[in-house]
Amino acid sequence: MLDIRFVRENAEAVQKNAQAKGYDVNINELLKWDASKRQLQQQADMLRERRNEMSASMKGGKPSEDALREAKIVKEELNAVEASLKEAEATFTDLLKKVPNMALADVPVGATEDENVVAKKVGEPKHFDFEPKSHAEIADLRGWLDKERAAKVTGSRFAYLKGDMVMLQFALIQFVMSKLSDQAFIDEVIRENNLNVSNKPFLPILPPFMLRTELYDAMDRLEPRDDRYKIEDEDLWLQGSAEHVLGSMHADEIFTEADMPRRYIGYATSFRREAGTYGKDMEGTFRMHQFDKLEMESLGLAENGLEEHLFMVAIQEKLMQLLEIPYQVLMKCTADIGKPNARGVDIEAWLPSQNTYRETHTADYMTDYQARRLKTRVRRADGSIELIHTNDATALPLSRGPIAIVENHQQADGTVHVPEVLRPYLGGREIL
RNA sequence: GGAGAGGUGGCCGAGUGGUUGAAGGCGCACGCUUGGAAAGCGUGUAUGCGGGCAACCGUAUCGCAGGUUCGAAUCCUGUUCUCUCCGCCA
């Protein structure tokens, strides 16, 4: 949620920004409700003041009939004003929640994701002297995947992973957790990219996979709800990304400045209904209802937020380079960064079977937009309190990460060459 | 799932209808004291909203949501979380 004071002072820019991001909001109407809400609040405060005065004068003794009568009138007036106030607040909050976060100045303006801008390409797509297979074909050949039985048990977009595909996934988890919690690795990424950020390593987290409606909504990740799985008879939803449960864990807390930033590397099985994607990406495990993901989350000071965002992208790139996967980096345009985002970067991995780059990572910088509703704050050294800035980014998606590895490192016979950095986590094996 | 107890400020903890936004203690900050430190003494120390250049003023908040009352941290209802015991269970 935006700061209403900011909206008041920058109404035109806020309206324009919403338009660029493709959200239909009416700032003038929001400001009308803001004004009437404030007016009602002042009325209510005055009536409460009167009520408090009267009740204070009554304490102890037996109040006179007149005093009681007047107090009752004040009470009735207050009840009426409070009812209107409540309504105005509900409408106001509803409208304010719909206003998307302001995009940073360097975010390209665009109406669809086709207007995302390629910032750079790293790594040469490998030339194969045979027809490269898709990950699904390789998995099929090697007995790594059973979607037919999954369909019997759970329906479409689920899978049983088997054998070395499972070993590969666990190796990747170990690899990423080890790197992100390692001081030397963090220092190296900072140095190589000339970043001015804290060198605190990430704390590994295994979070709950469900969260309450209120916190999901405060993260601004609940909508559209038809892409989420709701737990029947509970006020709980399955998370769609570890971000949802990592970012909300410090709701309603005030950090000390010295404690910033908080960096987490979470591992979670994530769930998405993929509403509206019928028929797309049905081959293999590219788009599933359930997929595991390693996710970075960082809570920190406002002035470090953007650099932290760049730091996370640098980590994503470093991991891709270590895994020897060619990729490109996209600056997402206004239409694609998402409602709570101020800036967004995607990484797309080269998939030989599709002869193109496909999305594997995303990095999101939300400024204080999420923190405002989460009430996650920091007490500065001078005693003042302000909202923190949130950043999240994929460290490695499990399904699309393994897909990229299998496809890019495949050999003519359907075996897969293991990137050197993963071998320690696979018992030294060079080939899967 | 059943029975019971309880959620108060950074922490501990008092408080069962009326200057209680909240005693007392701890912690923290500043000052005094000291050669220096400890101890001691003094002062200060929650968050949101509205108003004001500001000092500050008003208002709300004692898990959350309702209700009773002139007045609620205190009474009533619902709900949620924690703890103990029983049951079940990886």
Side-chain angles (χ1 to χ4, degrees):
Chain A
M1 195 165 75
L2 284 180
D3 183 351
I4 185 59
R5 284 167 293 200
F6 177 85
V7 179
R8 279 179 211 140
E9 285 159 25
N10 303 276
E12 210 172 306
V14 171
Q15 181 73 61
K16 212 173 140 191
N17 175 73
Q19 207 161 345
K21 289 179 96 173
Y23 290 87
D24 180 26
V25 298
N26 185 335
I27 300 302
N28 279 333
E29 181 166 1
L30 170 65
L31 291 177
K32 268 185 217 157
W33 281 100
D34 174 43
S36 80
K37 183 205 75 164
R38 275 194 290 169
Q39 205 219 330
L40 284 164
Q41 188 179 0
Q42 283 181 27
Q43 279 180 37
D45 279 355
M46 270 155 45
L47 285 165
R48 284 172 185 148
E49 184 178 7
R50 181 91 187 99
R51 177 199 64 190
N52 291 346
E53 279 169 7
M54 294 184 77
S55 63
S57 72
M58 285 183 203
K59 93 183 143 81
K62 324 114 197 104
S64 72
E65 287 293 312
D66 281 356
L68 269 180
R69 198 175 309 119
E70 200 192 333
K72 276 184 178 165
I73 291 169
V74 170
K75 182 183 173 179
E76 274 162 28
E77 282 178 34
L78 181 58
N79 281 343
V81 171
E82 276 181 340
S84 313
L85 175 61
K86 206 169 160 184
E87 245 174 84
E89 269 176 342
T91 308
F92 165 77
T93 307
D94 208 49
L95 290 172
L96 183 56
K97 272 161 66 174
K98 288 187 173 138
V99 181
N101 197 5
M102 300 297 286
L104 297 190
D106 67 343
V107 174
V109 176
T112 73
E113 63 177 23
D114 296 335
E115 295 178 67
N116 292 342
V117 175
V118 177
K120 64 168 162 175
K121 292 177 190 284
V122 177
E124 276 298 306
K126 192 159 137 194
H127 173 74
F128 294 91
D129 44 19
F130 56 92
E131 185 65 29
K133 301 178 186 64
S134 74
H135 75 281
E137 288 165 337
I138 297 167
D140 200 36
L141 193 67
R142 304 296 308 281
W144 287 345
L145 184 63
D146 186 343
K147 289 177 75 180
E148 289 71 26
R149 293 200 174 85
K152 175 171 66 182
V153 176
T154 45
S156 68
R157 292 203 193 280
F158 286 95
Y160 287 93
L161 296 186
K162 303 192 289 185
D164 280 344
M165 183 58 91
V166 176
M167 301 308 275
L168 174 61
Q169 170 157 331
F170 279 95
L172 282 165
I173 295 168
Q174 284 285 78
F175 164 66
V176 172
M177 283 287 181
S178 305
K179 287 294 174 195
L180 293 207
S181 58
D182 175 36
Q183 186 68 66
F185 177 78
I186 300 298
D187 287 338
E188 188 184 343
V189 172
I190 291 172
R191 191 174 57 246
E192 286 176 356
N193 293 276
N194 278 317
L195 292 166
N196 181 25
V197 291
S198 156
N199 71 342
K200 194 190 271 188
F202 289 74
L203 182 68
I205 301 274
L206 205 46
F209 293 177
M210 299 181 196
L211 72 163
R212 298 172 187 280
T213 305
E214 187 188 350
L215 285 167
Y216 217 154
D217 193 41
M219 287 291 289
D220 217 279
R221 299 291 191 195
L222 181 55
E223 307 294 344
R225 296 187 184 207
D226 61 5
D227 198 35
R228 303 294 178 217
Y229 286 102
K230 177 75 167 59
I231 306 297
E232 197 174 12
D233 296 330
E234 300 277 345
D235 181 35
L236 289 171
W237 303 74
L238 285 173
Q239 45 88 355
S241 163
E243 181 220 355
H244 307 157
V245 276
L246 294 174
S248 50
M249 71 190 274
H250 292 291
D252 220 13
E253 291 184 29
I254 301 177
F255 290 108
T256 56
E257 185 169 337
D259 204 22
M260 299 274 89
R262 282 295 185 101
R263 285 179 179 154
Y264 298 119
I265 170 66
Y267 167 69
T269 301
S270 301
F271 302 88
R272 298 184 186 179
R273 290 182 59 195
E274 294 293 346
T277 61
Y278 306 105
K280 277 189 207 166
D281 297 318
M282 292 308 290
E283 195 194 22
T285 56
F286 190 84
R287 187 181 300 280
M288 308 293 278
H289 287 311
Q290 173 190 320
F291 59 98
D292 295 343
K293 192 151 64 83
L294 288 150
E295 182 90 355
M296 297 177 270
E297 176 80 23
S298 168
L299 314 177
L301 300 175
E303 65 268 28
N304 300 332
L306 180 58
E307 194 86 350
E308 188 80 358
H309 173 63
L310 301 176
F311 170 58
M312 285 185 161
V313 176
I315 290 174
Q316 293 176 321
E317 290 197 50
K318 181 76 180 174
L319 293 175
M320 288 296 266
Q321 288 161 23
L322 289 171
L323 293 170
E324 302 164 46
I325 302 169
Y327 63 90
Q328 65 178 13
V329 180
L330 290 186
M331 268 300 287
K332 290 204 274 186
C333 74
T334 49
D336 201 33
I337 55 177
K339 181 168 161 253
N341 285 52
R343 196 174 193 275
V345 171
D346 271 359
I347 288 182
E348 297 184 333
W350 176 258
L351 294 190
S353 70
Q354 300 188 20
N355 201 37
T356 187
Y357 292 94
R358 293 299 307 269
E359 179 182 345
T360 50
H361 302 59
T362 188
D364 299 312
Y365 176 35
M366 270 66 60
T367 60
D368 61 7
Y369 192 88
Q370 288 178 320
R372 182 161 291 105
R373 286 185 62 205
L374 290 167
K375 299 191 181 71
T376 308
R377 293 156 292 172
V378 58
R379 191 185 311 276
R380 307 300 298 239
D382 68 4
S384 64
I385 286 174
E386 61 185 55
L387 294 166
I388 56 125
H389 278 208
T390 55
N391 262 292
D392 79 82
T394 320
L396 201 78
L398 298 162
S399 87
R400 293 193 188 175
I403 286 172
I405 289 172
V406 164
E407 292 208 4
N408 283 286
H409 299 311
Q410 64 178 296
Q411 306 185 104
D413 62 356
T415 58
V416 176
H417 176 84
V418 178
E420 210 164 314
V421 292
L422 282 183
R423 291 178 194 166
Y425 306 102
L426 283 165
R429 293 171 66 187
E430 293 176 23
I431 303 288
L432 288 184

